Amino acid sequence: MRKAGKFISLVSLSVLLAACDSNAVKEEKLEGTTPQKYTTEEKTEGNVTYILVKNPNNGAVLGYLKDGGVQLIEEEDGDYTYAFKDMNGNGKLDDWEDWRKDIDTRAASLAKELTKEEIAGLMLFSSHEREPEQGLTDDQKKYLNEDNLRNVLNAGGNDVEAAVNWNNEMQAYVEQLSTEEGKKFIPVNFSSDPRSTAGSDASYNAEGEDISRWPSNLGLAATFDPDTMLKFSKAASEEYRAMGIATALGPQIELATDPRWLRADGTFGEDTALATDMAKAYVDGSQSSYDSDGADIGWGADSINAMVKHFPGDGMGEGGRESHMNSGKYAVYPGGNFEEHLIPFLDGAMKLDGKTEQAASVMSSYSVAIDKDGNPLFGVNKGSAYDKDKIDILRKDNKYEGIICTDWTVTSAVSDPDNVLGIGTAWGVEDETVAQRHYEVLLTGVDMFGGNNAIQPVLDAYDLWDAAYEKGDVDISAEERFQQSGARLVKMMMLPGIFENPYLSLASSAEIVGSEEKRTDGYQAQLDSIVMLKNSDETIKKANVEKDYQEKVVYLPSSIHHEFKTVFADAQDTAEPTMNVDAAKEYFKEVLTDEPIKEGEKVTGFKAPDLKNVDMIVIGMSSPDNGSPFSSAGLKDDVFYPLSLQYGTYKADGKNVRKTSISGDVLENGEKENRSYYGQTAVISNSYDLEAFKNAKKQSEQIEKDTGKKVPVIVVLKAKNPVVVSEFEKDADAIVTGFSVSDQAYFDIILGKQEPKGLLPMQFPADMDTVEKQQEDVAHDLEVYKDTAGNLYDFGYGLDYKGVISDARTEKYVK
């Protein structure tokens, strides 16, 4: 029988603490028996001192600031005495403060208490915060206090100490704010883009070596093994939580059906079945916690919210262009294949195998959907967050009640007077006011505004909604609409338990992040993801790496990369070896590299060293680089140009190149803009990679001519997209490809420490003509490359030492 609750003041709590060692846990129990009452412990991390409360009977662990505004409420329940946090200071246990109640009941209870200002603040998702090591800043205090913002994007490095201290300082600050009259304690929900990828070429990745390192999503897909994905998501979620991160801005689960698309490496590839299974495993592992026996116990201390993206898909930008910038704001469906792109979302992330049932949140895509005839797919020429029919697929057709968040800068336009970044993705609503954009987003059923720190436009949208309600244009009041989102927003914080305990222990976090087990598993996943494409004359074979190469000499050619200007950084050149020299030194007696040839400060080429004693040439070649999502790839000086998957010059004048684009803006004269790139030439920033390969091949042939010694040339293809390999395949002795893995992993594969087992997660095209012929929204529609051994570089292709791999994975996924 439940008895009435009892309020415990900080004064009485301090008396209890004084009766025992302040650093010891107070446990009222007999030797060998289960505690019947909660225990408390005072902890200090950096400049934050908090009280840790452990409830009996597997109850919630609580954390609250020693000298803050939150106090404890004590309540007896059967044989146990539990503690609860009084987070609104009213001296009684409200439903939303009772961690024994179900999350939906708690969230609805709190939403009813929240003011419109508090809900408006929760609708904000901060812009990128890149320097956690600076601690809590005045700007952050301002938006936490004045704008009620509570969702913060941690875009800093993998520095555990900095992350822990920043988390604790920010949580302590918002808890202190709850001492002000009428304010409730609402913790900070930290989020992050991907930060665990091994390769230095990975997009949206965090610097720092504290964390375990894994392949990119495309690399994990190359394992064709959902169990590997599950292992990654379990490890990553534990590491995220140990750094205070409770929400992952990912995974990208849309289908990469156009091989040129600049964000293919963040996806699980083009195949629906594989992407759906990988999405399930990722979200299951992220949102679940596990007991000591490895059983899924549902939401818990190791769980993070997965924010799957970008609904309903963004991998079909016309010409492969990317929707972060005007160049790629249109997604086209020449194959009429919209429905297939929904499957990883609706049958994957929304129908999980584990106990968390479905993804907690979804991020909408930027792009405007256009059908094969050039008309808006759903009748409006607007981006996804403004397209109600798109959002209704989730909200109405599939009864989704989780969070839907816009992608970043969706309520900004480049033409806005105060836009200083030069980026804005309010596609189709550029002429509306900022307040109207917020209002229109809310009308579709979206809850959050990515990258927005200011509360006023949300409050303005509230007023616009109220005015529309008074006129009869909307069916519910602004208050009711805000409470709908409010309940979803606080639920996202309650699911991982940060209302109960938002504080971190540095010692515990340091043990979790980058633990030996996680590093080992991550490195094994890297090895398992590498695909061997070619292996002439058993160039790559099983070997004793530590013994067989310790007297060998390797040559690592260098290359030049002319990086593109982006909205965040100026263009710059890099000239360096194509493989990591320090990594190679772990295997070989001697590592040779090139001497740069300069004109002033600019590197124009390289001079090879004396190679007469070389035993092997290993050259790294990155995917042909068309630019980043922030470089306006495909558009320069108002002229559209093609994206290319080959290194050599590509002029788009073939028979399959569209002379009239499917998409285009409606111009002032009423005509439709033609975004065709017919007759234009691609710009590849690392085209020198092919020159470096050709030079390496010449060196190999010269060595054989001079000495009679055969020196194999091995290509390490560091891929982010499919590549036209016809430019170099016939002259390479062996080719391996991976997707954002470390050079150490490449060396372990090519030197025979592990037999290759990865499979291509996307088709590799025969040439650019087939790329132009394929339809942006359709998977598996390329003519694939056939190499000199007769192998087809199709989806699911890969070699091991015996030949083409055919196993349970290919039987399941390869048609």
Side-chain angles (χ1 to χ4, degrees), residues 95-399:
D95 281 348
W96 66 274
E97 297 166 330
D98 190 343
W99 44 260
R100 296 166 299 183
K101 293 186 178 295
D102 69 89
I103 296 294
D104 287 325
T105 297
R106 295 181 64 194
S109 169
L110 178 53
K112 290 177 182 177
E113 286 192 25
L114 294 175
T115 66
K116 69 176 182 181
E117 289 79 11
E118 287 170 326
I119 294 175
L122 289 172
M123 288 177 172
L124 304 174
F125 218 131
S126 86
S127 55
H128 295 63
E129 294 287 1
R130 303 185 187 277
E131 298 179 301
E133 61 276 7
Q134 288 191 355
L136 184 61
T137 66
D138 290 340
D139 284 344
Q140 292 160 11
K141 288 180 181 179
K142 182 179 182 296
Y143 66 55
L144 292 169
N145 184 17
E146 297 179 16
D147 298 284
N148 296 323
L149 186 150
R150 291 295 184 273
N151 298 283
V152 176
L153 174 50
N154 180 352
N158 291 308
D159 183 327
V160 177
E161 184 173 2
V164 167
N165 289 337
W166 187 46
N167 171 85
N168 289 348
E169 286 180 18
M170 193 170 284
Q171 302 290 9
Y173 179 74
V174 298
E175 187 171 332
Q176 286 172 326
L177 291 177
S178 68
T179 61
E180 298 179 14
E181 185 175 353
K183 285 207 172 185
K184 290 166 282 294
F185 168 62
I186 300 176
V188 174
N189 170 31
F190 286 96
S191 67
S192 176
D193 280 311
R195 56 175 55 241
S196 306
T197 310
S200 59
D201 58 343
S203 301
Y204 300 96
N205 203 40
E207 299 293 332
E209 297 304 317
D210 286 1
I211 204 166
S212 63
R213 293 293 184 178
W214 302 69
S216 68
N217 282 348
L218 195 58
L220 287 164
T223 68
F224 276 57
D225 181 19
D227 287 341
T228 297
M229 175 61 72
L230 183 64
K231 185 176 289 187
F232 161 73
S233 60
K234 287 179 180 179
S237 62
E238 290 175 9
E239 290 179 314
Y240 276 31
R241 287 302 299 273
M243 291 193 290
I245 298 164
T247 298
L249 301 184
Q252 277 184 256
I253 64 174
E254 65 244 85
L255 301 176
T257 48
D258 190 288
R260 297 163 292 188
W261 187 40
L262 300 179
R263 298 192 70 180
D265 63 325
T267 74
F268 303 132
E270 65 183 309
D271 186 73
T272 304
L274 180 61
T276 299
D277 286 353
M278 289 294 185
K280 279 189 177 185
Y282 193 118
V283 180
D284 264 339
S286 296
Q287 296 189 167
S288 295
S289 292
Y290 299 84
D291 65 17
S292 57
D293 296 323
D296 184 345
I297 61 172
W299 289 96
D302 294 328
S303 302
I304 58 174
N305 300 291
M307 184 175 284
V308 296
K309 58 186 186 182
H310 304 85
F311 185 84
D314 216 18
M316 66 300 293
E318 185 162 19
R321 298 189 293 264
E322 221 295 305
S323 59
H324 275 79
M325 307 297 285
N326 174 56
S327 57
K329 68 182 179 182
Y330 290 106
V332 294
Y333 294 86
N337 199 36
F338 176 81
E339 297 294 331
E340 185 172 357
H341 289 263
L342 299 177
I343 294 174
F345 292 94
L346 303 183
D347 292 348
M350 300 304 164
K351 294 180 182 177
L352 305 180
D353 298 324
K355 290 190 174 182
T356 57
E357 297 184 350
Q358 63 180 205
S361 51
V362 177
M363 185 183 294
S364 60
S365 66
Y366 285 126
S367 51
V368 181
I370 302 295
D371 68 17
K372 62 185 175 70
D373 298 318
N375 301 311
L377 195 63
F378 292 103
V380 294
N381 201 42
K382 299 177 182 180
S384 294
Y386 300 95
D387 192 333
K388 194 173 190 311
D389 285 341
K390 281 186 183 179
I391 303 303
D392 276 352
I393 295 170
L394 288 175
R395 287 285 188 234
K396 288 190 175 181
D397 300 347
N398 290 277
K399 312 301 181 187

Side-chain angles (χ1 to χ4, degrees), residues 659-678:
K659 294 184 178 180
T660 302
S661 63
I662 295 174
S663 66
D665 296 343
V666 177
L667 304 176
E668 290 183 2
N669 61 7
E671 296 180 0
K672 183 177 177 181
E673 173 193 30
N674 185 5
R675 292 182 159 227
S676 170
Y677 47 76
Y678 184 83

Side-chain angles (χ1 to χ4, degrees), residues 671-734:
E671 296 180 0
K672 183 177 177 181
E673 173 193 30
N674 185 5
R675 292 182 159 227
S676 170
Y677 47 76
Y678 184 83
Q680 300 299 318
T681 301
V683 181
I684 302 298
S685 68
N686 63 327
S687 59
Y688 195 94
D689 281 9
L690 182 60
E691 187 71 20
F693 170 81
K694 292 177 179 178
N695 291 338
K697 182 62 178 178
K698 289 178 183 177
Q699 296 288 348
S700 172
E701 291 171 342
Q702 189 63 47
I703 294 169
E704 186 172 12
K705 180 179 179 181
D706 294 343
T707 67
K709 181 171 68 172
K710 168 70 174 175
V711 178
V713 178
I714 299 176
V715 172
V716 171
L717 184 57
K718 302 177 181 183
K720 299 175 75 171
N721 295 79
V723 177
V724 175
V725 299
S726 59
E727 295 174 299
F728 60 86
E729 177 272 323
K730 68 182 186 306
D731 291 323
D733 295 287

